[in-house]
Amino acid sequence: MKKYLSELSIGDMAKISGFDADRCSDRDFARDLEDRLLEIGFEEGLKVEVLHEGPVGRDPMAVRVGNMTVGLRRIEADAVCIHEEDQQESHGNEAAAAE
């Protein structure tokens, strides 16, 4: 079952697995949404972590993608497909990489 960045909560981590701009109900906005996300650094395989959510409708949200922090509207996060990471697995991989 596909999951999307917009479904994550603060502290959740995942890897970007692709984009699905067709989920966006605003056709004009969705037209080049994937290109815009790629331009600001969203790439398949990068780790993403939710850092903050806005107080109204959890919108906008701040996420860490690789080594940068990006603010996204939920409509944009709804087009980012993810694979959720197990928190222990994620920290284990980072510890192994540091050795």
Side-chain angles (χ1 to χ4, degrees):
M1 184 167 115
K2 262 188 182 176
K3 289 199 77 169
Y4 298 92
L5 180 56
S6 60
E7 298 170 8
L8 298 181
S9 299
I10 295 173
D12 289 343
M13 299 175 78
K15 279 192 177 177
I16 298 170
S17 62
F19 305 96
D20 187 1
D22 291 337
R23 290 172 46 90
C24 184
S25 58
D26 185 337
R27 294 283 128 216
D28 290 333
F29 184 78
R31 186 168 301 132
D32 58 351
L33 179 57
E34 182 176 341
D35 290 338
R36 290 193 310 261
L37 289 167
L38 288 167
E39 286 174 359
I40 60 173
F42 284 77
E43 292 181 26
E44 286 184 38
L46 285 181
K47 190 182 300 184
V48 63
E49 177 182 7
V50 177
L51 301 175
H52 180 76
E53 296 174 324
V56 179
R58 300 171 52 211
D59 199 20
M61 60 194 302
V63 297
R64 178 166 292 134
V65 180
N67 293 324
M68 67 180 177
T69 302
V70 178
L72 280 183
R73 290 181 283 173
R74 197 151 291 272
I75 190 172
E76 295 163 322
D78 205 32
V80 179
C81 306
I82 51 134
H83 289 294
E84 270 193 282
E85 285 194 345
D86 181 5
Q87 295 289 336
Q88 288 182 330
E89 176 183 317
S90 173
H91 292 295
N93 290 342
E94 291 173 4
E99 293 178 354

